[in-house]
Amino acid sequence: MTSTRTIPNSLTLQFLIFLSILISCVESSNQSTSTTAMDNGDFRLRLIDSDSPLSPFYDPNRTIYDRSTALIHRSITRLHHLQSSIKSPDYLIAAPLTSEDLDYIVNFWAGTPPSEITAILDTGSKITWFQCLPCEKCFNQTKPIFDPSKSSSYRDLTCISGPCQQLSSTSCESGLCKYGATYGDGSFSDGSLAIETFTFNTADRRSTSLLGVVFGCGHKNGGRLYKNDLAGIVSMGQGPLSLINQLNQRRFSYCLVPRGATMVSHLQIGITPLLAGKTTPFFQVEGSEHLYYLSLDDISLGSEPLHIPLKAFKPSKYQGLIIDTGTSIDILDSSGFDLVIRAVQRVMKLKEVTDPHQELELCYEGTMGDLVGFPSLTYHFVNGADLVVGSKNLFQQVADRVVCLSMLRNDDSISIIGSKSQENYIVGYDFHTKLISFGPYDCSQF
């Protein structure tokens, strides 16, 4: 069964078809293109983490220690790019597309007839984009690169269109809108801002088509980009041109199974995604409106409150706590990180040792099995919402008989709750109320 959902709002399907034929005339007269609505209903997508045997990027030759190291490298790189996007509004995308840096991928189809796209799902990006022909410069991609000239539903957007006015880092060529994205490591994507039909295969074996989705059609892409099936990014951030902000039913939730599992995680979009447990507000901060900032009350280890300095975690332009699916492990401002370190040291009974890779600060001699019964770490948010992180996610095995606290220090005031701490939780976002919720759940059953 196939359902079709429509962007823009209050237009009949007949008028949308007429609009797609005469889009240039409509844009000239209206000064904008409506891309803001989708009809009622839900759909669920499969999310695959890069460490799963189900991932096209899975490498069976990598050991659990290799994957542990990759989590750390991925988080460090991600932090650098998030900080770059915060300090420079011209950074459209927060993270580069490398084998070390992707976390969750999603497959969908673009165009009419449809072409398959494999992309990163990212809550820290401003815009959805992927590679397009003709390529002035493209990174290697084993699947065919999307060819907009073969799609009857593709339309370039003009410089006077609404989406072009909403996006930073745009330019105008022959009346058409061009976007440019630059990364902190020198990677880049440049191309045309356009609209297209996206089709998703849902978890219940149906397909759902979204008409008139604004995206970046990248004709010039380069840098440290992954050379395989990956084509781009699907944005689920707070920016006006993220996929979620182009939908009328502005609510979504995801439930992440433990990393490396042979089951898939799921993302649900629509009017009924679960908001499980207590809620806490999420915020936008000037200059980084695409990111999800949370307001932290305290952190505790077991029953011991740490009394963190709240000033360092208050949402503001260059500091605060972000929740992010593209960062693997948690990263805390030094003032909070030091309190966590001291609290763990007071409770831990294992012998303290040095990380053989010299990447994580607090390590012990032992295995993950030795941590059974170790107290959980809890993030306490305003309004009473809690995110409880058990020992399986609080620590990671980095070498034979060496376990380390799975957390990084940041001296630059930005803190991040990564995807590892969100495993086996229903994390729900409601854009109408600006609330996020955390509900413990067996995500293999979501």
Side-chain angles (χ1 to χ4, degrees), residues 100-154:
E100 291 295 314
D101 301 319
L102 64 93
D103 245 20
Y104 291 92
I105 60 173
V106 62
N107 289 318
F108 65 100
W109 284 257
T112 309
S115 298
E116 187 175 8
I117 306 291
T118 299
I120 297 173
L121 184 91
D122 189 7
T123 55
S125 291
K126 297 180 182 180
I127 184 176
T128 295
W129 72 270
F130 47 83
Q131 297 201 113
C132 290
L133 295 176
C135 280
E136 181 178 344
K137 177 181 175 65
C138 283
F139 52 90
N140 291 343
Q141 182 181 318
T142 54
K143 290 180 181 177
I145 295 175
F146 178 70
D147 187 349
S149 69
K150 295 182 178 179
S151 172
S152 61
S153 49
Y154 176 89

Side-chain angles (χ1 to χ4, degrees), residues 65 350-351 353 364-367 370 397-403:
Y65 309 129
L350 300 177
K351 177 184 177 182
V353 296
Y364 293 93
E365 183 180 321
T367 67
D370 296 326
Q397 192 93 35
V398 300
D400 187 34
R401 294 200 57 77
V402 179
V403 293

Side-chain angles (χ1 to χ4, degrees), residues 197-272:
T197 296
F198 286 10
T199 301
F200 295 90
N201 279 349
T202 62
D204 56 1
R205 300 180 184 275
R206 297 182 302 156
S207 63
T208 294
S209 293
L210 309 179
L211 309 180
V213 180
V214 177
F215 79 108
C217 199
H219 298 292
K220 186 177 180 181
N221 317 283
R224 293 176 59 245
L225 298 176
Y226 195 85
K227 299 178 180 179
N228 206 303
D229 286 339
L230 198 64
I233 283 179
V234 173
S235 169
M236 293 295 286
Q238 289 202 73
L241 296 186
S242 72
L243 181 63
I244 189 64
N245 253 330
Q246 293 188 59
L247 307 181
N248 184 44
Q249 309 302 340
R250 296 169 60 197
R251 179 186 282 188
F252 72 94
S253 60
Y254 51 77
C255 202
L256 306 178
V257 298
R259 187 170 299 279
T262 55
M263 299 164 289
V264 297
S265 300
H266 287 97
L267 167 76
Q268 184 166 345
I269 301 173
I271 57 175
T272 61

